[in-house]
Amino acid sequence: MGDFTVSDSLLRAFKDKKIDFVELQISDANTFYNSISEAKKVNIFGPFVERHTKSDYDKMKLFTTLDNSAGIAITFEGNIVSVFSKGLHKGVLKSLMPIALSQGGIKLDNYNSERLSAMYADFGFIPISKTAFDKNFAPQDWDYEKFGCPDIVFWIHNGDSAESVIYKFGEYKVDMKSVKECPTYEEAERFRDDILKLLKER
């Protein structure tokens, strides 16, 4: 666990947009793993959140709220994963996501619920590819009656700074109809990453 200092420019953006920033801290793998495990049990959308192993988390940048009730992780490759919340801080994603972007987050994937995908679009993410739900790889706690079999969508960030994302929050528009459909998770992920690589090279 450790202190985390948010840049003055980010704090100014939060203040200008009247967003109550929820203070965050740097977390360790053990604490993060235990916190996300607890959150998955109490949040109705817990099955949508992938919990990685402690050894995986050891290789990521980890951030949680001071009470460990919400958090976010960023891999070495810039993949934003394990976004969780117990629901104790309303709108906590508005604090978590800009920090993840400022810490190198550039891509993510999610089960395509209308609410969840709309939230990621609000932060400037662009849907690139998708693949159909595969029951063979479904989470053990997945509730088919509640959640059905949504596609998995792969996104890249539009490149705006974390500060710009705060100022433009909710103004971004996305076209889900143009998303490339791929036969497997691996192919959808690879297609997204190839697009991201091309954009970086440019």
Side-chain angles (χ1 to χ4, degrees):
M1 307 299 289
D3 295 333
F4 174 64
T5 302
V6 181
S7 69
D8 291 339
S9 59
L10 263 178
L11 289 176
R12 190 179 308 114
F14 284 124
K15 183 177 180 181
D16 289 345
K17 293 296 289 183
K18 295 181 171 56
I19 295 173
D20 292 328
F21 176 71
V22 181
E23 194 172 349
L24 303 179
Q25 62 187 344
I26 297 171
S27 186
D28 60 81
N30 188 62
T31 301
F32 193 92
Y33 181 88
N34 291 336
S35 299
I36 192 173
S37 297
E38 293 173 7
K40 281 175 65 65
K41 293 176 183 178
V42 300
N43 191 318
I44 187 174
F45 295 106
F48 283 73
V49 180
E50 183 178 3
R51 180 183 58 195
H52 295 263
T53 65
K54 292 180 183 179
S55 60
D56 285 336
Y57 287 134
D58 264 328
K59 305 166 189 172
M60 302 181 193
K61 294 180 181 179
L62 308 171
F63 297 92
T64 61
T65 53
L66 300 186
D67 59 5
N68 295 312
S69 68
I72 198 165
I74 307 100
T75 71
F76 178 77
E77 298 82 13
N79 199 21
I80 298 172
V81 300
S82 297
V83 185
F84 74 89
S85 173
K86 286 185 177 181
L88 302 184
H89 299 284
K90 186 177 180 180
V92 70
L93 192 62
K94 290 183 180 180
S95 297
L96 293 172
M97 193 58 72
I99 295 303
L101 294 173
S102 73
Q103 294 295 311
I106 54 174
K107 60 182 179 178
L108 54 80
D109 61 83
N110 70 286
Y111 289 108
N112 189 29
S113 77
E114 184 176 344
R115 178 172 174 268
L116 190 55
S117 291
M119 285 195 300
Y120 289 138
D122 283 340
F123 288 101
F125 283 91
I126 303 168
I128 301 297
S129 56
K130 66 180 180 180
T131 190
F133 188 97
D134 188 337
K135 292 184 178 181
N136 293 317
F137 299 100
Q140 291 184 347
D141 53 354
W142 192 260
D143 189 325
Y144 290 94
E145 187 173 335
K146 284 183 181 178
F147 308 128
C149 298
D151 291 338
I152 300 173
V153 182
F154 294 77
W155 309 67
I156 60 174
H157 196 255
N158 65 12
D160 282 352
S161 68
E163 291 86 353
S164 293
V165 166
I166 294 171
Y167 285 115
K168 297 179 183 178
F169 178 80
E171 297 179 8
Y172 299 106
K173 305 298 180 185
V174 300
D175 180 12
M176 297 299 291
K177 294 179 182 178
S178 64
V179 177
K180 180 176 176 59
E181 190 163 356
C182 299
T184 66
Y185 181 99
E186 290 76 17
E187 289 177 76
E189 182 179 44
R190 184 164 55 249
F191 182 83
R192 186 272 313 274
D193 289 348
D194 286 345
I195 295 294
L196 187 56
K197 183 179 179 181
L198 286 173
L199 291 173
K200 285 184 177 180
E201 290 174 350
R202 291 176 184 174

